[in-house]
């Protein structure tokens, strides 16, 4: 999955809030400028780190596949991954049972690829789509705790879906992204939760990413850890 960029999301949040409360537009624009600068600095700072990515694929609550990658940004700004631990090749079963297993595996892989592609339509959030939802009157802002706000966009990409952004009240630090959507129909739901964490004295990063397909009982859990500063 792609590394998250929060600059566009923060910009759109500022625009949406300003539209909802015109009297505070100037103050919000100042907060927006600070948020955009902070997001740009954060993304740039992450490029000077290496980290370990652990990807776990689960079926019916049981981990079936675990891959560990060493990650860093390349000169083109894209994440480069080197696999350091991967599961051994599964032993192929013969006969009719083998064909059934192969078919099921292929179907699960195709569904997972479709779900991942769908998630990329939500993350990172698109300012234009967020504004469309705001204009339609289906966006909402709620207090989720002291100094914590949640901005929810219902009908962001499809009828009945939602994109929720949790951030601090200064609109500077994104804490969490939640997506509730579906593949071909609401009977094939897809969920995504991205938990953002902070390095001591350093930038924020997507510490945990969980992609779920409840109908198929398939879940992908990505954990990013062991961030190390590159030698200068």
């Amino acid at each position: 999955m792609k590394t998250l960029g929060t600059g566009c999301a923060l910009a759109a949040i500022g625009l949406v809030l300003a539209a909802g409360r015109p009297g505070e537009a100037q103050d919000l624009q100042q907060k927006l400028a600070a948020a955009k600068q902070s997001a740009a600095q954060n993304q740039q700072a992450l490029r000077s780190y290496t980290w370990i990515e652990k990807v776990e694929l689960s079926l019916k609550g049981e981990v079936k596949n675990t891959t560990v990658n060493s990650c860093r940004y390349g000169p083109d700004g894209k994440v480069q991954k080197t696999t350091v631990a991967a599961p051994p090749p599964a032993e192929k079963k013969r006969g009719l049972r083998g064909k059934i297993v192969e078919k099921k595996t292929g179907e699960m892989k195709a569904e997972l690829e479709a779900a991942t592609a769908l998630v990329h339509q939500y993350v990172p959030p698109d300012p234009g789509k967020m504004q469309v939802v705001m204009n339609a009157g289906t966006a909402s802002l709620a207090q989720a705790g002291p100094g914590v706000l949640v901005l929810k966009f219902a009908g962001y990409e499809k009828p009945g879906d939602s994109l929720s952004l949790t951030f601090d009240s200064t609109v500077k630090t994104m804490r969490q992204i939640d997506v509730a959507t579906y593949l071909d129909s609401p009977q094939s739901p897809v969920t995504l939760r991205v938990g953002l964490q902070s390095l001591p004295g350093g930038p924020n990063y997507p510490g945990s990413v969980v992609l779920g397909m409840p109908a198929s009982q398939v879940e992908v859990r990505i954990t990013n850890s062991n961030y190390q500063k590159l030698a200068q």
Side-chain angles (χ1 to χ4, degrees), residues 144-179:
V148 181
L149 299 174
V150 176
L151 188 59
K152 182 176 181 180
F153 296 87
Y156 173 86
E157 179 69 27
K158 300 180 177 183
D161 73 355
S162 67
L163 168 72
S164 298
L165 308 175
T166 301
F167 53 97
D168 65 15
S169 57
T170 62
V171 198
K172 289 184 179 179
T173 304
M174 186 85 69
R175 299 187 178 186
Q176 185 170 291
I177 300 175
D178 289 279
V179 174

Side-chain angles (χ1 to χ4, degrees), residues 1 56-61 108 111-119 122 177-183 185-194 208-222:
M1 297 180 67
E56 296 175 297
L57 173 62
S58 300
L59 177 63
K60 297 180 179 179
M108 187 174 73
E111 186 177 41
L112 181 59
E113 290 175 349
T116 301
L118 176 62
V119 163
Y122 295 82
I177 300 175
D178 289 279
V179 174
T181 184
Y182 52 89
L183 293 174
S185 71
Q187 284 67 48
S188 300
V190 174
T191 62
L192 178 74
R193 169 162 288 184
V194 181
S208 63
V209 180
V210 181
L211 171 65
M213 292 177 283
S216 304
Q217 300 185 65
V218 173
E219 180 181 273
V220 178
R221 182 177 295 270
I222 300 174

Side-chain angles (χ1 to χ4, degrees), residues 27-170:
D27 179 49
L28 285 169
Q29 287 301 320
Q30 293 175 348
K31 290 181 179 179
L32 170 59
K36 290 172 66 177
Q37 181 179 3
S38 175
Q41 292 173 344
N42 188 85
Q43 192 67 17
Q44 185 63 35
L46 279 176
R47 295 191 179 192
S48 62
Y49 285 82
T50 64
W51 70 95
I52 297 298
E53 175 194 70
K54 182 180 180 182
V55 184
E56 296 175 297
L57 173 62
S58 300
L59 177 63
K60 297 180 179 179
E62 181 181 350
V63 177
K64 296 292 186 180
N65 187 308
T66 300
T67 303
V68 179
N69 301 309
S70 175
C71 305
R72 63 181 296 174
Y73 281 93
D76 59 356
K78 296 181 180 180
V79 176
Q80 297 178 341
K81 300 182 181 183
T82 301
T83 301
V84 296
E91 182 180 350
K92 290 188 177 182
K93 299 184 181 296
R94 299 180 179 179
L96 180 59
R97 184 179 180 185
K99 292 182 179 179
I100 294 175
V101 170
E102 185 177 353
K103 181 181 179 182
K104 289 291 184 182
T105 301
E107 290 175 349
M108 187 174 73
K109 182 180 179 181
E111 186 177 41
L112 181 59
E113 290 175 349
T116 301
L118 176 62
V119 163
H120 287 161
Q121 297 181 32
Y122 295 82
V123 180
D126 181 88
K129 293 180 182 179
M130 294 166 75
Q131 190 60 52
V132 168
V133 176
M134 184 63 194
N135 293 342
T138 57
S140 60
L141 182 65
Q143 190 84 27
V148 181
L149 299 174
V150 176
L151 188 59
K152 182 176 181 180
F153 296 87
Y156 173 86
E157 179 69 27
K158 300 180 177 183
D161 73 355
S162 67
L163 168 72
S164 298
L165 308 175
T166 301
F167 53 97
D168 65 15
S169 57
T170 62

